[in-house]
Amino acid sequence: MNHRTQVGIVGAGPAGLMLSHLLHLAGIESVVLEARSRRYVEERVRAGLLEQGTVNLLKETGVGERLTRLGLTHHGLELRFGGRGHRIDLSGLTGGSTVTIYAQHEVVKDLIAARLGAGGQIVFEADDVSVHDFDGPTPKIRYRKDGDASELSCDFIAGCDGFHGVCRPAIPSGVLTMYDRIYPFAWLGILAEARPSSDELIYAYHERGFALHSMRSPTITRLYLQCAPDENLGQWPDERIWDELELRLAADKGWKLNRGAVIQKGITEMRSFVVEPMQTGTLFLAGDAAHIVPPTGAKGLNLAIADVRVLARALTDYYRSSNRELLTKYSGICLRRVWKVQRFSWWMTSMLHRFTGENAFDQRRQLAELDYVTTSRAAAQTLAENYVGLPIE
Ligand code: APR
Ligand code: PHB
């Protein structure tokens, strides 16, 4: 089958789906091609913290109903070290901004429902997706559905297919420059049927390694432990995970970690990665296809949404007035913000984790950094304004 659309989108993650939704609102047609099934993408457990700007966008564009009902608004967070908690007043330090706990796969569900409800086309379980002719004005996406070959012709391709997708590798060598950092640790994450042990997130620095207390609902806790990059999950029975969390999150004044049944367990790798530029010809990369951040700042999803916001605006401008100016500026506009978010994610990661090969000086420096951030209003404000989300140019 051969078919045509204005924007061909590879990947039904937050980037691809949000782009399709924003384009639809601007009267621009798109088709989304996704390798996995609808059920798989709607159940894939990922992070779950939305910046103020992401929340505003979801609500303003009509996909915020469940988010408003089920999202947990947070006005602050806790940094815990030396057995004591220190609150960062996110709202007070940013003129009222907040962050919201709402799982990424719930955002994906809401966007899929909105697209399909508006007659949008998402091809799930599209096999052998490949992108062609994006050095010219009529790029094509080839794929198979139920064994049958199809070709989708379009004006533009959006590569929203994540870090392991096919769009970035399809770009000829020499066009892209990659910037990469791999960290010598990973996160072991669990979802547990337990009441959160605190109303707010707790980022804990401990000599045994970093730990994070987060949540998904008033009855589900999300917890993470710094672990080895090649950690074997088989060596972490639930009891050992809870004991380790208890040690690392320990605080005086009678704080207690609520335990419960572990319903999901996984390892998250940690890397920083950026590709420059984020566009070549009529192929535009967005989200994890173009950059990865370590999860410490909770920025992955938010960066993906920020990219497609810029891309949707540029495409809207083009279709309304044949003006390509914003399209040519897409990469530059995104990368300026991407690098600031990379810096923040790297900084949070560096401040809170134990590194192999570090010495006593490094530990003292980390503790001094934490002490500074929790006692200087200027330093706390720097953390807060990045955490709730930098403005989009
Ligand atoms: N063909 C079609 N679809 C593909 C292909 C392919 N060859 N390869 C990957 N995909 C799909 C994946 O199955 C996935 O659904 O592309 C989608 C990419 O989605 P995400 O990985 O969620 O990436 P993105 O939309 O950029 O969102 C970034 O996701 O990984 C998290 O932490 C990250 O929160 C951030 C967010
Ligand atoms: C999460 O809830 O999954 C989460 C929260 C904050 C982070 C990372 C992950 O920094």
Side-chain angles (χ1 to χ4, degrees):
M1 183 180 85
N2 291 337
H3 52 149
R4 212 203 102 72
T5 191
Q6 289 176 296
V7 182
I9 300 175
V10 186
L17 292 167
M18 190 64 188
L19 178 62
S20 181
H21 177 59
L22 292 174
L23 292 177
H24 165 70
L25 295 178
I28 300 164
E29 245 186 45
S30 66
V31 173
V32 181
L33 303 173
E34 165 60 49
R36 304 286 193 160
S37 68
R38 177 173 180 182
R39 180 157 181 202
Y40 182 92
V41 298
E42 288 190 343
E43 290 180 0
R44 185 166 41 193
V45 174
R46 293 258 178 91
L49 190 129
L50 309 184
E51 291 177 353
Q52 182 74 66
T54 304
V55 170
N56 295 349
L57 183 69
L58 290 165
K59 290 185 178 172
E60 284 160 13
T61 61
V63 283
E65 189 273 322
R66 285 197 325 130
L67 167 63
T68 304
R69 212 156 27 86
L70 304 170
L72 305 172
T73 305
H74 285 206
H75 294 268
L77 62 79
E78 182 181 326
L79 293 176
R80 193 173 279 189
F81 56 98
R84 282 192 53 214
H86 307 258
R87 185 165 189 270
I88 303 288
D89 178 7
L90 296 172
S91 297
L93 290 161
T94 59
S97 292
T98 59
V99 293
T100 298
I101 285 286
Y102 188 65
Q104 178 169 318
H105 66 270
E106 301 296 345
V107 174
V108 165
K109 269 187 215 163
D110 296 340
L111 288 168
I112 289 176
R115 286 310 297 124
L116 297 181
Q121 238 189 299
I122 307 173
V123 181
F124 290 102
E125 296 173 274
D127 297 321
D128 302 332
V129 174
S130 59
V131 290
H132 305 269
D133 302 338
F134 49 81
D135 53 350
T138 49
K140 292 165 196 76
I141 309 178
R142 300 203 182 107
Y143 64 99
R144 283 180 184 280
K145 174 70 186 168
D146 301 326
D148 297 330
S150 287
E151 184 174 278
L152 175 67
S153 310
C154 37
D155 302 329
F156 301 98
I157 297 177
C160 303
D161 49 347
F163 185 64
H164 301 286
V166 291
C167 291
R168 193 184 63 249
I171 296 173
S173 64
V175 175
L176 302 179
T177 306
M178 323 236 178
Y179 301 87
D180 207 0
R181 164 162 305 194
I182 294 176
Y183 297 86
F185 41 76
W187 282 10
L188 193 169
I190 61 165
L191 266 182
E193 283 172 343
R195 220 167 21 86
S197 310
S198 158
D199 290 340
E200 295 182 340
L201 267 62
I202 304 169
Y203 289 81
Y205 173 88
H206 193 275
E207 59 180 37
R208 298 177 68 88
F210 169 73
L212 171 60
H213 167 275
S214 180
M215 64 203 70
R216 286 293 175 270
S217 75
T219 55
I220 302 285
T221 307
R222 179 84 170 138
L223 296 143
Y224 297 95
L225 283 172
Q226 176 183 352
C227 64
D230 54 354
E231 195 73 53
N232 177 0
L233 262 186
Q235 299 196 333
W236 286 87
D238 299 355
E239 224 37 37
R240 180 175 175 210
I241 296 175
W242 286 116
D243 291 346
E244 190 64 32
L245 284 164
E246 206 153 80
L247 286 172
R248 296 189 194 181
L249 288 164
D252 44 20
K253 288 202 286 189
W255 184 83
K256 187 176 153 295
L257 178 65
N258 298 327
R259 296 189 180 205
V262 174
I263 48 178
Q264 197 265 349
K265 232 188 252 193
I267 304 268
T268 308
E269 67 166 27
M270 308 277 285
R271 80 164 59 222
S272 300
F273 170 84
V274 182
V275 80
E276 290 189 6
M278 288 168 58
Q279 174 247 341
T280 180
T282 44
L283 172 61
F284 293 77
L285 301 176
D288 276 17
H291 40 68
I292 296 284
V293 284
T296 325
K299 294 298 177 201
L301 162 69
N302 296 293
L303 259 190
I305 298 292
D307 286 351
V308 299
R309 208 170 175 164
V310 176
L311 184 53
R313 205 170 61 200
L315 288 166
T316 304
D317 230 37
Y318 169 74
Y319 282 110
R320 287 214 178 124
S321 56
S322 302
N323 183 357
R324 282 185 176 268
E325 193 190 337
L326 269 183
L327 282 174
T328 42
K329 288 185 174 163
Y330 168 72
S331 184
I333 292 175
C334 288
L335 284 168
R336 240 182 114 191
R337 189 172 184 277
V338 164
W339 275 112
K340 284 181 219 159
V341 177
Q342 286 287 352
R343 182 207 70 82
F344 175 68
S345 303
W346 162 85
W347 173 75
M348 285 280 280
T349 304
S350 308
M351 176 169 71
L352 288 162
H353 290 75
R354 295 296 310 271
F355 285 71
T356 36
E358 69 183 12
N359 61 23
F361 177 87
D362 297 313
Q363 285 171 42
R364 286 285 192 277
R365 184 187 49 71
Q366 282 175 313
L367 285 167
E369 182 108 47
L370 285 159
D371 188 11
Y372 179 52
V373 167
T374 51
T375 52
S376 152
R377 185 181 166 86
Q381 194 163 27
T382 297
L383 189 157
E385 76 168 351
N386 281 276
Y387 197 84
V388 302
L390 294 175
I392 297 174
E393 197 181 305

